[in-house]
Amino acid sequence: MGKAKIGLRSAAVVSLAAMALAACGGGSSGGSSGKSGNTPAGQPVKGGTLTMLSLNQEFTDLDPQRAYTGEDIAFLNAYMTRSLTAFKVSRDPKEQGTLVPDMATDTGTPANGGKDWSFTLRDGMKWEDGSPVTCEDVKYGVSRTFATDVITGGPTYAIQYLDIPSAKDGSSVYKGPYTTKGNDTAAYDKAVVCEGNKITFHLAKPVGDFNYTVTLGMGAVPKAADTAEKYTKKIVSNGPYKIQAYTKGNQMVLVRNENWSKDSDSYRPAYPDKIVVKFGLDQSVIDQRMIRDSGADQQAFMRESLLSSDLATVFNDPRYESRRVTNFSPYVIYRVINVEKVPDLKQRQAIAVAMDRAQLRQILGGKFAGDIADGVIKPNLAQDYAPSGMWTGLLGKTIPDSGDPEYAKQLIKDSGKPMPTITYSYSQNPDADKGAASIKSSLEKAGMKVKLNPIEASAYYTTIFDKSRATELMANGWGPDWPNASTVIPPLFTLKGGWDVGLVNDKAYNEKVAAALSETDRAKQATMWQDLNKEAMQQAWVVPTLFENDQRLAGSKVKSASGQNGQLYIGGSAGNWPYNDMYVQK
Amino acid sequence: MGAYIIRRLIAMAGMLVTLSVIVFLLFSVLPADPARLVCGKSCTPSIIKAINHKFGYDQPLAVQYKEFVQGIFVGRTYGEGKAAFDCHVPCLGYSFLRNEDVTTLIKDTLPITAQLALGGFVLWILVGVSIGIVAALKRGKWQDRTIMGAALVGYSFPSFFIALLLIFFVQIKFAVLGFHSYTSFFDSPAEWFKALVLPWIAVAMLYAAFYSRLTRNQMLETLGEDYIRTARAKGLRERTVIGKHGLRAGLTPIVTAAGLDLAGLLGGALIIEQVFALPGLGRLSVDSVTTSDLPVITGTVMVAAFFIILANLVVDLLYAVIDPRVRLA
Amino acid sequence: MSLASDHAVEATSTSAESAEIAGRSLTQIAWRRLRRDKVAMTSLLVVLVIVSIAALAPVITRLVGVDPSSFNDKAVSDAGGLPLGRLGGVSLAHPLGVEPGTGRDLFARLLYGSRISLLIALSATLITVTLGVSVGIVAGYSRGWLDSALGRLMDVILAFPLILILLALSNVLTQRLETTFHLGELVARVLYLILVLSLFGWPYLARIVRGQVLSLREREFVESAVSMGAGTPRILFREILPNLWAPILVYATLLLPTYIAAEAALSYLGVGLVPPTPSWGAMLADSVRYFAVDPAFLFIPGTYLFVVVLAFNLLGDAVRDALDPRAGRA
């Protein structure tokens, strides 16, 4: 929420960033060179300077407890902030979801039916000042999450999962490391225990995939160097690189961290000597620089996505074949229907049926933009995805991509009630304006009255989460935190989940979600998510419109050791670059 | 003169106070929910309350104003316990979104805007004033018509259109100049120049047009005055007449306009910085507006206003120096 | 960046100071001069054409067979959404091509966009002039504390970075207008732009008018009116105001294009109008990311905006020359 920086004019990126917010994934990366690539034609080489071009003004957060943008987490994890476990670096989508050890010696040991999780730390890990990385550093890092008024905006799984009692107002009795007033530090010390090199987390309930959770917001922080609020701008590295210079809005320079040793890290090959991030560039300029691929830009790559306007240039020309990448982004784009404002099922279905999804996709770049969506679980969540059948009969009929206004009229008539005026709220940018115009005209074709309510990007989520200002129809987007629909279905369709924009609160559904969450058989759990996805679509709580694609372009000398023939790719649940093993070809 | 300056300085301080009160009142109508903005995905009312408390947003407006003013003169402390930190004098507030003092943010961005503004300023004065003089001397001839015609055309270009045209032709169509992002002069003078040259030209084009017209009109007016005729009749050389007498007397409005325009630019060249992606004060302002970063908006508005007020003072003082006819009223 | 309205002011004030206070006969002289000026007449013609095109936009677009809000998926490529055909999809069906992504007709959007822009610029100019003249006269005539109070007020307003304030407050104040007066979003936005442009714009004119009034009130005809026992309102509006129309007219003609450009700049920075209402600035803002692949989308609205502003500037210039031959072209 509010984590995405909003550029004024880079509409394509805004649509993604503003809509999607914090999707999280762990670090991409991993695996030493060539392991997963069959024929590593380009042998990875050490040295050189890798440059990343970004339209953002700065990293929103460097703080391991606060970073909550998938791409940033991947970058930071690959270079500076290690986590207990990490995601395997591989171009194979199935392998991208598997865990490998990072700071820990293995991927964690559950006990007590999944209520206790322990990790043993590796030897020889050091901070950039030469002091050792200890179990206490991890414990201290995790404790910072509890200081909710200081460490803002980050993942809060630690608060949700750890076995620490709640105070009367629902907040945890532990308030983080910065305050002593009315703070139950003992409760935390009981929940997170260090014994030598072994850290144990005691959870309130069994969590089958807690070793995935530790990839998110649970990095170590040395207590002596913690500057609380300000730590997020100047962190201490325990990875292979450290910050040499950082001017917000301009650039960040990372150089080798001499205190990091390969022996203490089997996850990071650390090829380049230097990594430079250039901030605050215009996306159209970034696109042009990458397209041109001249001089130093050959060793550069873009952080965000190509503008939709440049896709035709890049993807219709074989010259770019070895430098361009395309893949699903983590995000599903959908429109939320407020169930309190449109309580009637038939009327909600009418909205879904009337919408011209083809046109909405056309506005974002046609076939490049992505695939027409049929649910909130995306095919790149491989295990949990199954076609929901939303457009092929679930709503009573096959609905063409361009919508079916006649059938929508029929549904409204069948509802037997007058259709409310639909006010469509969206975060404003040029593409979203066009989309809004399209929604207005397609719903009007089905006889509905439509008002448009554009909202300034920064105020968007504040507005739609305010019940008094929420409207009938609202734009939204979501991506999973890690490869499990447990980070999709519960947040979107249960009030407790935190992202239930449409105010769905269905008792039977809540119970099914709870059952799926505590299911430990992953295959069984996947089927449950598939059914819940289908049910949500049948209920028309949301109208999914696009399984969004992400297209990027890199300089000709930027390669990835795990890519096919060294070619770059994007992947993982955050759809990020394989920062970990990217290198500069000589 | 001394008393006059002191009087003006006091008036200036009064203006700044008035302005800051107005800015505070104006922005108090903005949705006062800064906490929600930084609170993140898993936000609860108690977290919002705590954040609001930390930044003082739970206080009445008058108290918030008092703390703001105190921050400027004696600094202030945010947060409690071990997480407390100081914001040093002159503390213009703290951006909860960027986790940075507003003063630091302005210190980082202002020099870039200043380089843009000063470079553009030199260019536009040189070009504008000199072609304005040529036009005046060739009054009614083809040179005059051409210059004035061109000036009017230049004057009619919306600023962002000029900037976009420059990028289109220079960087994309003919690729004369590659794409360069701002680099400090001390890191690489060449890169620095390449990154700034187009913005300078854009600024200069916008203003030179107006200055050539102004200069020409001023020159024509003063050249028609009696004392110029007297000077000529005395047999002074034409260059002396124009340079020493004509230009000097005609300078006053040019100085006024130049001072105010420069001050306006220093407050942030919103559009030019936006189009050329220069990390200056204007970019900071626009970004803070789009992200509802209230403390930064307040800070940048105050700085921009400060420059304008200061420029007014400087211009008035210069008046007195250049044109002795001006009374120090 | 300044709105450049200070430019207009400086340009005017210098000439206005020197302008002879016009009598009736001067009107005729000025008009005769204006009519002899070819550039002036051409720009007047262009201005008239622009205004009538804007007023008649619905009729014209219907005649051409286009409208500003219909999508046309056939006019843009399926892969990338770029206009098919040359020059951004210029064809018989779409005389100026289409908008990327949607295939909406650019000719129609440009015409409808000019309606809104001109409406905003004209209304803001009218309000600015009314406010500026009234305050200027009052300040100039009253002298004393009222004059200095108004003077301080102007100083404060002039010290505000206008665009920044406009940007920062746009959404909130638009919503306030909407809820307070039960307006539609579009009406509220237009109203907001008009109000804020004029509220921050009037002090420039007020200063000029004040200066004029200061010198006028010392003139014989005013003194004689006073001695004949005329009331203040009568003196202000019957004796002084008629003598001010020359600088006011000049100022207004130069202010109008400034406001047109300002409105476009604001839309460019994001204080846009509600879709599907087209606006020049919003079109240009959108065109930025297409300028490498579809330059026509940048050039067509940009050029039209430029021509409109230029025509108004030329006209304003000519009016000034006609009223003040000393600063004249030749």
Side-chain angles (χ1 to χ4, degrees):
Chain A
M1 143 119 262
K3 300 301 288 180
K5 280 273 174 311
I6 285 99
L8 268 175
R9 285 165 299 114
S10 322
V13 179
V14 169
S15 74
L16 181 146
M19 292 188 73
L21 333 161
C24 293
S28 61
S29 35
S32 52
S33 61
K35 253 187 200 159
S36 38
N38 297 329
T39 44
Q43 271 302 324
V45 276
K46 280 204 180 262
T49 299
L50 207 52
T51 304
M52 177 161 87
L53 309 177
S54 174
L55 82 105
N56 280 346
Q57 295 292 309
E58 58 186 326
F59 280 114
T60 315
D61 287 296
L62 301 176
D63 191 321
Q65 266 71 48
R66 297 175 79 174
Y68 209 170
T69 307
E71 192 74 33
D72 287 352
I73 293 176
F75 179 93
L76 296 167
N77 179 252
Y79 298 138
M80 290 188 290
T81 54
R82 300 178 62 175
S83 48
L84 288 169
T85 64
F87 289 97
K88 183 164 183 165
V89 176
S90 164
R91 66 167 190 276
D92 176 356
K94 283 196 199 99
E95 286 192 355
Q96 287 166 359
T98 39
L99 285 181
V100 293
D102 182 1
M103 286 202 290
T105 51
D106 56 25
T107 56
T109 319
N112 196 7
K115 276 181 86 172
D116 299 337
W117 278 86
S118 353
F119 302 83
T120 306
L121 297 188
R122 300 181 63 128
D123 293 326
M125 296 188 293
K126 282 193 182 121
W127 292 105
E128 64 175 86
D129 63 0
S131 57
V133 178
T134 65
C135 177
E136 289 296 333
D137 293 337
V138 180
K139 184 179 171 184
Y140 180 77
V142 175
S143 80
R144 298 167 79 247
T145 302
F146 289 83
T148 49
D149 61 331
V150 179
I151 304 302
T152 52
T156 52
Y157 290 102
I159 303 176
Q160 288 172 43
Y161 288 164
L162 287 175
D163 187 16
I164 296 173
S166 296
K168 253 186 277 155
D169 65 347
S171 66
S172 173
V173 295
Y174 178 58
K175 310 280 181 218
Y178 306 115
T179 179
T180 44
K181 207 170 44 181
N183 193 6
D184 193 348
T185 312
Y188 181 72
D189 289 337
K190 234 164 71 186
V192 183
V193 179
C194 275
E195 296 161 288
N197 258 352
K198 193 173 100 178
I199 185 162
T200 306
F201 298 93
H202 299 288
L203 312 181
K205 281 188 299 192
V207 179
D209 57 357
F210 187 76
N211 51 348
Y212 281 82
T213 314
V214 297
T215 60
L216 250 182
M218 300 208 183
V221 171
K223 189 173 180 180
D226 184 17
T227 47
E229 201 115 30
K230 300 198 162 187
Y231 189 70
T232 203
K233 294 299 162 198
K234 176 85 186 76
I235 55 169
V236 184
S237 166
N238 57 9
Y241 300 91
K242 62 178 179 186
I243 300 171
Q244 184 192 45
Y246 183 16
T247 329
K248 279 135 236 161
N250 195 3
Q251 68 171 357
M252 174 187 257
V253 180
L254 303 185
V255 293
R256 285 196 185 276
N257 171 11
E258 301 303 336
N259 280 305
W260 171 85
S261 73
K262 184 105 201 51
D263 308 336
S264 70
D265 193 339
S266 55
Y267 185 55
R268 295 171 183 79
Y271 296 121
D273 283 338
K274 201 169 168 187
I275 294 144
V276 176
V277 187
K278 293 267 185 194
F279 292 107
L281 303 174
D282 196 285
Q283 188 62 42
S284 51
V285 169
I286 298 178
D287 287 5
Q288 289 307 313
R289 286 172 66 164
M290 288 294 96
I291 286 171
R292 213 163 279 169
D293 190 40
S294 64
D297 283 343
Q298 290 177 348
Q299 299 163 31
F301 61 98
M302 61 173 70
R303 179 193 178 279
E304 287 86 9
S305 311
L306 279 161
L307 291 175
S308 58
S309 47
D310 291 319
L311 291 175
T313 311
V314 173
F315 281 84
N316 290 336
D317 189 334
R319 273 185 302 168
Y320 304 109
E321 199 165 355
S322 63
R323 305 199 281 122
R324 68 193 179 204
V325 300
T326 178
N327 202 344
F328 276 132
S329 83
Y331 307 114
V332 178
I333 310 292
Y334 57 93
R335 304 312 192 271
V336 182
I337 302 177
N338 187 328
V339 294
E340 290 193 357
K341 303 234 172 196
V342 193
D344 187 274
L345 172 62
K346 289 240 153 57
Q347 294 188 343
R348 287 200 303 272
Q349 290 179 334
I351 296 173
V353 164
M355 212 174 277
D356 187 338
R357 284 125 44 216
Q359 203 164 66
L360 290 172
R361 185 174 81 141
Q362 180 70 58
I363 290 164
L364 296 173
K367 70 175 189 191
F368 291 132
D371 294 349
I372 303 265
D374 68 348
V376 292
I377 299 176
K378 210 171 168 175
N380 50 348
L381 259 179
Q383 201 167 6
D384 296 326
Y385 175 77
S388 74
M390 184 170 193
W391 311 117
T392 52
L394 196 61
L395 302 178
K397 207 174 155 180
T398 295
I399 316 295
D401 289 349
S402 54
D404 188 340
E406 292 312 313
Y407 182 48
K409 277 184 192 159
Q410 180 64 42
L411 283 167
I412 296 173
K413 221 171 116 198
D414 292 351
S415 78
K417 276 175 263 174
M419 186 79 192
T421 299
I422 304 297
T423 303
Y424 172 56
S425 302
Y426 63 98
S427 163
Q428 192 169 25
N429 68 55
D431 276 348
D433 278 344
K434 293 176 189 168
S438 162
I439 285 177
K440 185 174 160 79
S441 84
S442 63
L443 296 194
E444 278 173 352
K445 270 186 209 148
M448 295 178 223
K449 275 209 195 83
V450 182
K451 270 181 69 185
L452 298 181
N453 180 29
I455 298 171
E456 198 184 343
S458 66
Y460 183 62
Y461 286 102
T462 319
T463 310
I464 63 170
F465 274 108
D466 177 350
K467 231 171 131 179
S468 63
R469 286 188 289 169
T471 62
E472 286 79 11
L473 192 63
M474 295 168 278
N476 216 335
W478 186 258
D481 275 6
W482 62 76
N484 189 331
S486 62
T487 60
V488 178
I489 299 285
L492 298 190
F493 302 124
T494 62
L495 267 187
K496 267 198 303 187
W499 212 253
D500 185 8
V501 178
L503 302 168
V504 175
N505 192 17
D506 182 303
K507 208 164 162 245
Y509 195 84
N510 288 348
E511 277 162 18
K512 282 183 237 172
V513 168
L517 272 174
S518 54
E519 177 58 59
T520 45
D521 181 340
R522 185 65 179 88
K524 236 191 221 166
Q525 192 189 31
T527 327
M528 295 166 97
W529 293 137
Q530 288 163 11
D531 292 343
L532 286 167
N533 182 39
K534 195 168 168 180
E535 185 177 342
M537 296 311 117
Q538 197 273 330
Q539 286 289 331
W541 288 331
V542 300
V543 187
T545 51
L546 191 69
F547 288 147
E548 194 192 53
N549 269 350
D550 186 3
Q551 287 94 352
R552 305 183 192 180
L553 190 58
S556 52
K557 291 192 172 152
V558 184
K559 302 286 173 193
S560 159
S562 56
Q564 183 156 30
N565 300 327
Q567 187 170 352
L568 284 173
Y569 62 94
I570 48 177
S573 62
N576 48 266
W577 290 115
Y579 292 105
N580 225 357
D581 64 3
M582 280 161 72
Y583 64 93
V584 181
Q585 197 176 48
K586 285 275 143 61
Chain B
M1 187 82 180
Y4 172 72
I5 294 177
I6 289 169
R7 214 163 359 123
R8 285 299 308 259
L9 282 175
I10 293 171
M12 182 175 157
M15 282 273 287
L16 278 173
V17 172
T18 319
L19 267 171
S20 65
V21 173
I22 295 176
V23 166
F24 238 78
L25 289 175
L26 272 182
F27 291 155
S28 69
V29 303
L30 288 177
D33 204 0
R36 188 75 185 82
L37 278 177
V38 289
C39 186
K41 205 156 86 165
S42 28
C43 200
T44 65
S46 64
I47 299 181
I48 292 191
K49 225 177 109 191
I51 296 174
N52 272 329
H53 176 70
K54 186 171 68 180
F55 292 109
Y57 288 113
D58 54 348
Q59 309 267 23
L61 207 60
V63 178
Q64 289 187 38
Y65 180 72
K66 197 194 97 200
E67 283 181 349
F68 174 75
V69 175
Q70 255 175 10
I72 297 178
F73 295 104
V74 293
R76 62 192 286 194
T77 304
Y78 288 95
E80 283 161 359
K82 282 177 226 159
F85 59 91
D86 290 329
C87 176
H88 301 289
V89 178
C91 174
L92 286 168
Y94 185 81
S95 164
F96 39 82
L97 265 181
R98 292 166 178 262
N99 286 295
E100 191 73 85
D101 298 349
V102 175
T103 313
T104 312
L105 287 170
I106 289 171
K107 256 191 231 153
D108 286 349
T109 50
L110 186 57
I112 294 166
T113 297
Q115 290 165 39
L116 168 67
L118 288 172
F121 177 76
V122 170
L123 258 184
W124 96 59
I125 292 291
L126 282 180
V127 174
V129 172
S130 51
I131 65 174
I133 293 174
V134 172
L137 295 181
K138 304 279 179 186
R139 179 181 183 178
K141 303 218 177 86
W142 66 267
Q143 293 97 325
D144 180 26
R145 284 162 195 267
T146 315
I147 290 174
M148 285 304 103
L152 202 64
V153 169
Y155 184 52
S156 301
F157 269 109
S159 53
F160 55 101
F161 192 44
I162 265 202
L164 292 175
L165 286 181
L166 277 174
I167 293 186
F168 181 77
F169 284 110
V170 179
Q171 291 185 314
I172 292 182
K173 188 82 181 170
F174 301 114
V176 188
L177 186 74
F179 296 98
H180 303 274
S181 57
Y182 177 80
T183 313
S184 160
F185 177 80
F186 301 103
D187 290 348
S188 162
E191 274 294 301
W192 170 82
F193 180 78
K194 283 179 193 159
L196 279 171
V197 62
L198 283 190
W200 280 335
I201 293 176
V203 169
M205 279 175 81
L206 286 171
Y207 287 87
F210 165 72
Y211 279 81
S212 62
R213 285 158 57 90
L214 183 59
T215 309
R216 171 183 177 277
N217 291 350
Q218 276 313 116
M219 286 291 290
L220 288 183
E221 212 156 290
T222 44
L223 288 181
E225 301 257 356
D226 293 342
Y227 67 94
I228 296 283
R229 261 178 250 147
T230 317
R232 279 209 180 107
K234 276 199 301 190
L236 288 178
R237 281 200 324 202
E238 188 65 14
R239 189 191 286 175
T240 321
V241 174
I242 292 162
K244 202 160 173 198
H245 297 273
L247 195 55
R248 181 161 176 172
L251 213 55
T252 339
I254 300 176
V255 168
T256 313
L260 293 177
D261 279 337
L262 182 62
L265 265 181
L266 282 174
L270 301 188
I271 288 174
I272 298 289
E273 287 177 23
Q274 195 67 30
V275 178
F276 289 102
L278 284 175
L281 195 60
R283 197 93 198 273
L284 178 70
S285 312
V286 175
D287 279 351
S288 59
V289 166
T290 51
T291 51
S292 299
D293 197 346
L294 209 53
V296 183
I297 303 177
T298 315
T300 49
V301 167
M302 289 300 298
V303 169
F306 171 77
F307 279 121
I308 296 174
I309 296 174
L310 185 69
N312 269 309
L313 175 67
V314 172
V315 161
D316 285 357
L317 294 180
L318 275 180
Y319 250 50
V321 176
I322 295 174
D323 193 344
R325 287 177 304 179
V326 175
R327 270 184 306 145
L328 300 177
Chain C
M1 155 154 350
S2 78
L3 260 186
S5 47
D6 39 346
H7 287 178
V9 180
E10 292 302 334
T12 322
S13 63
T14 48
S15 67
E17 272 155 27
S18 61
E20 290 157 48
I21 304 309
R24 289 236 173 257
S25 61
L26 193 58
T27 320
Q28 285 144 14
I29 298 171
W31 175 235
R32 210 171 298 150
R33 265 198 216 113
L34 201 61
R35 272 186 28 198
R36 275 206 304 266
D37 187 339
K38 273 188 218 138
V39 180
M41 288 333 280
T42 316
S43 49
L44 181 63
L45 189 70
V46 174
V47 164
L48 288 177
V49 169
I50 289 166
V51 173
S52 15
I53 286 181
L56 296 174
V59 182
I60 297 172
T61 47
R62 197 173 314 145
L63 282 179
V64 181
V66 292
D67 77 282
S69 50
S70 287
F71 285 58
N72 183 358
D73 300 347
K74 306 230 162 40
V76 291
S77 65
D78 178 45
L82 295 179
L84 299 170
R86 309 190 62 187
L87 294 171
V90 171
S91 66
L92 273 180
H94 299 291
L96 292 180
V98 296
E99 181 182 58
T102 61
R104 288 186 291 196
D105 184 77
L106 275 187
F107 177 69
R109 293 187 68 73
L110 210 53
L111 255 51
Y112 274 83
S114 67
R115 276 164 86 88
I116 297 278
S117 298
L118 289 178
L119 174 74
I120 292 175
L122 272 171
S123 321
T125 305
L126 277 178
I127 299 180
T128 307
V129 167
T130 314
L131 266 176
V133 171
S134 325
V135 178
I137 290 184
V138 170
Y141 193 77
S142 67
R143 290 191 263 196
W145 68 269
L146 188 56
D147 181 22
S148 52
L150 288 171
R152 288 292 87 77
L153 178 66
M154 292 180 218
D155 284 347
V156 169
I157 293 177
L158 289 177
F160 270 110
L162 171 56
I163 289 199
L164 203 52
I165 300 268
L166 269 169
L167 275 178
L169 297 177
S170 72
N171 276 26
V172 182
L173 290 191
T174 305
Q175 275 169 20
R176 288 265 160 122
L177 283 175
E178 246 182 290
T179 45
T180 318
F181 301 105
H182 304 285
L183 301 170
E185 161 98 25
L186 177 62
V187 181
R189 279 235 170 189
V190 169
L191 199 62
Y192 168 75
L193 285 171
I194 294 173
L195 284 181
V196 183
L197 280 175
S198 24
L199 284 181
F200 283 97
W202 66 265
Y204 297 98
L205 180 59
R207 278 190 170 173
I208 297 167
V209 171
R210 176 178 168 275
Q212 297 283 307
V213 173
L214 279 180
S215 72
L216 278 175
R217 57 170 299 155
E218 307 297 334
R219 302 276 282 266
E220 292 102 5
F221 66 92
V222 176
E223 276 169 10
S224 70
V226 174
S227 64
M228 281 163 71
T232 310
R234 192 193 150 81
I235 293 171
L236 288 183
F237 294 100
R238 284 291 182 76
E239 303 294 336
I240 294 184
L241 187 60
N243 288 297
L244 288 173
W245 71 269
I248 294 172
L249 183 65
V250 172
Y251 187 81
T253 38
L254 289 173
L255 190 62
L256 194 73
T258 313
Y259 278 166
I260 293 176
E263 187 271 327
L266 285 169
S267 300
Y268 176 80
L269 286 174
V271 192
L273 299 167
V274 197
T277 316
S279 122
W280 288 342
M283 270 193 230
L284 281 164
D286 192 21
S287 74
V288 175
R289 57 198 167 116
Y290 291 100
F291 70 0
V293 284
D294 183 12
F297 188 37
L298 166 69
F299 282 109
I300 290 170
T303 309
Y304 192 51
L305 175 59
F306 165 68
V307 167
V308 171
V309 175
L310 180 64
F312 276 104
N313 272 339
L314 281 171
L315 184 65
D317 225 35
V319 171
R320 182 176 57 199
D321 288 350
L323 290 169
D324 177 16
R326 270 212 294 165
R329 232 180 298 268

